[in-house]
């Protein structure tokens, strides 16, 4: 599929896409599971690439730098949320794809060769971070990093439980370990135990269907993150959290 990029503005960065992850929400949009998809659609919001051109007012980036693009590419820039650097809560935020740019053109995502993105919604990728590893940080990574920072779940030595070991759960374990936390992976079976312990270096592993072990672990966690993407009972997992835990 071939389409025309929107015209480059003074604050725009043109990115040659090198890698783009595929997220579950991409599949939801592709399949129109929310009843709001517009076609033709180019998905992708875990985007990393190289700057090839910049607008006349771009100060944050230079040609040749490694950059990333996440799930939003625009906002009103005027409301209270925008003024407090919380553009993700702007009622006029613009999604990376399946949305409309300020100029009326449709937004198209990162499963493409090139993107045009306003500099404010582009992030710098460190040169020593491999681009294929950086892509997943733009969605799954920030999905766990943001609440951990927001709620202060970062004190080294504290005990953190990660429910679920899908893509977001994987990132949760890695980021929690990077913060110096003691990490317990909680899953419905032991089939992911080796991966959790040997590959991701989780400190312990708990099977939620093992009533005896769950009882032994009651009120043992300072922090708890639930990354399970399907409907499930909050108990008994919630009983693992200490009083005033997060």
């Amino acid at each position: 599929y071939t389409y025309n990029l929107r015209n480059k503005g003074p604050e725009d960065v043109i990115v040659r896409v090198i890698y783009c992850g595929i997220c579950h929400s991409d599949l939801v949009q592709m399949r129109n599971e929310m009843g709001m998809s517009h076609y033709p659609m180019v998905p992708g919001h875990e985007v990393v690439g190289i700057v090839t051109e910049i607008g006349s007012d771009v100060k944050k980036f230079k040609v040749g730098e490694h950059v990333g693009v996440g799930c939003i590419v625009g906002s009103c820039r005027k409301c209270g949320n925008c003024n407090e650097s919380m553009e993700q809560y702007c009622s006029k935020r613009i999604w990376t794809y399946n949305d409309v740019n300020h100029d009326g053109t449709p937004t198209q995502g990162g499963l493409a060769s090139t993107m045009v993105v306003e500099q404010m919604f582009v992030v710098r990728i460190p040169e020593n971070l491999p681009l294929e590893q950086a892509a997943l940080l733009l969605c799954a990574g920030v999905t766990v990093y943001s609440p951990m920072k927001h709620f202060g779940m970062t004190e080294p030595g504290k005990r953190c439980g990660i429910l679920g070991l899908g893509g977001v759960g994987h990132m949760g374990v890695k980021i929690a370990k990077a913060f110096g936390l003691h990490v317990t992976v909680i899953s419905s079976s032991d089939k992911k135990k080796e991966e959790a312990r040997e590959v991701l270096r989780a400190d312990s592993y708990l099977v939620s269907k093992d009533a005896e072990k769950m009882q032994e672990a009651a009120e043992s966690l300072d922090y708890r993150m639930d990354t399970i993407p399907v409907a499930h009972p909050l108990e008994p997992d919630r009983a693992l959290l200490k009083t005033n835990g997060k």
Side-chain angles (χ1 to χ4, degrees):
Y1 171 58
T2 300
Y3 60 96
N4 293 322
L5 295 169
R6 66 176 178 81
N7 293 327
K8 180 185 69 177
E11 289 198 34
D12 285 333
V13 175
I14 296 184
V15 180
R16 177 166 64 88
V17 178
I18 306 299
Y19 292 104
C20 182
I22 299 177
C23 178
H24 179 248
S25 55
D26 292 324
L27 304 181
V28 168
Q29 293 281 6
M30 289 159 58
R31 297 166 180 162
N32 196 24
E33 292 179 7
M34 298 177 68
M36 54 182 285
S37 298
H38 300 282
Y39 305 104
M41 177 193 298
V42 179
H45 60 275
E46 300 176 337
V47 190
V48 292
I50 298 173
V51 176
T52 59
E53 294 182 43
I54 59 174
S56 58
D57 293 340
V58 172
K59 307 299 182 185
K60 292 175 60 178
F61 303 101
K62 296 182 292 186
V63 171
E65 288 188 315
H66 292 179
V67 295
V69 181
C71 64
I72 62 172
V73 293
S75 68
C76 78
R77 306 284 292 275
K78 301 175 182 177
C79 68
N81 284 319
C82 287
N83 289 335
E84 294 181 16
S85 298
M86 295 192 298
E87 293 83 6
Q88 68 271 29
Y89 293 112
C90 174
S91 62
K92 297 180 180 179
R93 65 185 176 273
I94 300 174
W95 300 111
T96 303
Y97 65 91
N98 196 36
D99 207 343
V100 180
N101 288 305
H102 291 300
D103 64 1
T105 59
T107 60
Q108 303 285 21
L111 289 169
S113 60
T114 311
M115 294 182 72
V116 180
V117 186
E118 190 177 351
Q119 65 173 337
M120 188 174 187
F121 299 94
V122 179
V123 295
R124 180 172 288 100
I125 305 295
E127 293 291 330
N128 62 349
L129 178 61
L131 290 181
E132 71 273 15
Q133 296 179 20
L136 302 182
L137 299 176
L138 275 300
C139 183
V142 74
T143 297
V144 288
Y145 177 84
S146 178
M148 292 184 79
K149 289 289 287 186
H150 183 78
F151 292 105
M153 299 165 60
T154 60
E155 189 177 341
K158 292 287 189 178
R159 304 176 76 89
C160 178
I162 306 290
L163 275 69
L165 200 64
V168 177
H170 276 74
M171 295 306 308
V173 174
K174 292 174 76 69
I175 290 174
K177 290 293 294 183
F179 281 136
L181 306 181
H182 179 285
V183 178
T184 298
V185 171
I186 303 150
S187 190
S188 59
S189 73
D190 61 3
K191 66 180 183 180
K192 297 181 180 179
K193 183 176 182 178
E194 182 177 356
E195 182 178 14
R197 295 298 304 274
E198 302 301 324
V199 179
L200 299 175
R201 303 299 182 187
D203 298 286
S204 57
Y205 189 92
L206 189 59
V207 177
S208 59
K209 293 181 180 179
D210 188 331
E212 183 177 346
K213 293 296 185 182
M214 290 289 285
Q215 181 61 39
E216 291 176 3
E219 299 185 24
S220 65
L221 301 177
D222 300 288
Y223 312 138
R224 173 180 174 275
M225 290 197 73
D226 191 337
T227 73
I228 300 172
V230 296
H232 62 285
L234 294 180
E235 296 289 359
D237 301 312
R238 189 164 55 185
L240 301 173
L241 197 61
K242 294 179 180 177
T243 302
N244 290 327
K246 298 180 180 181

